[in-house]
Amino acid sequence: TQNMKAPANFVQADLGTNVNNLKAETSTVFETGHRYNGEKFNTSATVFLVDFQNRLANGYNPDTQTYTSYNLGASQSFGLEAQIGTKPINGFSYYGSATLMKSMIKDDFKTTLSACTSSCAILTIPTSGNAVPDTPNVMFANAIQYSKGPYLMGLTGKFTGVRYTTLLNDESLDPFFTMDLNAAYRFQPSAFLKTPTLRLNATNILNASYQVANVGSGSSIAVATNSSKGSAYSTYGGYSSTLSYYNAAPSFISMSFS
């Protein structure tokens, strides 16, 4: 399949965003797989290859509080996705998934010195062969559920691997593992409520401490940091060498009745 992604419409407004002559991102997806539906369990496995052209990314400069949208150039992602789910056995069921992926930049990044305003010489940053930022190589998820009579319970665990946060791959975020718990009790229907249910939700029950570069509106990444590897490139094009991360939410428990 072929896909296209246009630059976000906010880059056309004067909202502290640098456009940098953006081109639309295009991609071609190749995939094949196998699916099994049995009496006791279901499985699926997919091998995929995605070729990107003019891949879009966003960088945030906390010093100037501006976002910069730019094209990474060509990149390629390939890997394997697998899932397994069981049918309920005495009320218990299981679901598991795994993703193994390698996402690689295929072009060197073209930019200019931050001090340049006109007739700027194009400079090249050696990003070819590096990993695409904020793209983990490994992700796992497991969920155990129990449902019998009025009782419901579920326990979910998720693992996310290392994610680089610069195009030069000179800084990364550590892997993390989280667990969530949910439970519910369904009361008998009444004249006023059809299926009254009391729910308990506990997120991040292990109180895992970790950071993310993406909060739903796009990843905040930089070209490089002031490391020994990246200091020569950290201020090219006005990109900040100080990355802005988000601390994940701590343990949280809530109850609801519906």
Side-chain angles (χ1 to χ4, degrees):
T1 59
Q2 292 187 320
N3 306 286
M4 185 190 76
K5 177 182 177 181
N9 57 5
F10 66 78
V11 303
Q12 306 303 330
D14 185 16
L15 298 175
T17 302
N18 299 321
V19 180
N20 283 348
N21 299 318
L22 292 177
K23 299 178 181 179
E25 172 188 294
T26 60
S27 62
T28 304
V29 182
F30 306 89
E31 59 182 357
T32 184
H34 179 268
R35 181 179 298 169
Y36 169 78
N37 294 318
E39 294 184 0
K40 295 183 178 180
F41 62 91
N42 302 325
T43 63
S44 67
T46 303
V47 177
F48 61 88
L49 170 67
V50 186
D51 264 318
F52 291 93
Q53 298 296 324
N54 301 315
R55 190 163 184 172
L56 291 167
N58 292 319
Y60 177 66
N61 188 330
D63 299 324
T64 60
Q65 297 185 358
T66 57
Y67 286 91
T68 302
S69 295
Y70 50 93
N71 292 116
L72 298 184
S75 70
Q76 187 177 81
S77 298
F78 59 92
L80 168 69
E81 292 182 339
Q83 302 178 58
I84 182 171
T86 67
K87 304 294 177 63
I89 302 175
N90 294 325
F92 289 94
S93 61
Y94 168 80
Y95 171 80
S97 66
T99 300
L100 306 176
M101 179 173 62
K102 184 172 184 180
S103 193
M104 183 176 61
I105 302 172
K106 297 172 65 177
D107 290 335
D108 287 334
F109 186 65
K110 309 294 184 181
T111 186
T112 60
L113 285 173
S114 58
C116 180
T117 57
S118 63
S119 302
C120 304
I122 301 298
L123 303 174
T124 300
I125 298 177
T127 56
S128 179
N130 290 348
V132 175
D134 203 25
T135 306
N137 287 344
V138 178
M139 291 185 291
F140 295 108
N142 292 274
I144 299 175
Q145 295 183 342
Y146 175 78
S147 176
K148 196 169 186 179
Y151 301 100
L152 300 169
M153 184 172 290
L155 182 65
T156 303
K158 295 181 179 180
F159 174 83
T160 301
V162 173
R163 295 138 293 144
Y164 289 105
T165 53
T166 67
L167 299 183
L168 208 59
N169 290 178
D170 63 335
E171 184 162 313
S172 63
L173 291 174
D174 293 333
F176 64 91
F177 176 77
T178 61
M179 290 189 70
D180 299 333
L181 174 69
N182 63 83
Y185 182 85
R186 292 176 293 201
F187 295 91
Q188 291 295 323
S190 67
F192 303 99
L193 298 173
K194 185 176 182 180
T195 53
T197 305
L198 179 65
R199 299 182 183 276
L200 170 69
N201 295 292
T203 59
N204 193 11
I205 60 175
L206 300 179
N207 201 30
S209 177
Y210 60 96
Q211 294 179 314
V212 295
N214 188 319
V215 290
S217 58
S219 302
S220 177
I221 61 177
V223 173
T225 66
N226 283 325
S227 66
S228 58
K229 178 181 178 181
S231 59
Y233 309 102
S234 60
T235 57
Y236 279 18
Y239 306 113
S240 173
S241 60
T242 303
L243 285 159
S244 178
Y245 300 136
Y246 303 89
N247 291 322
S251 297
F252 181 76
I253 299 176
S254 64
M255 293 187 68
S256 64
F257 180 79
S258 60

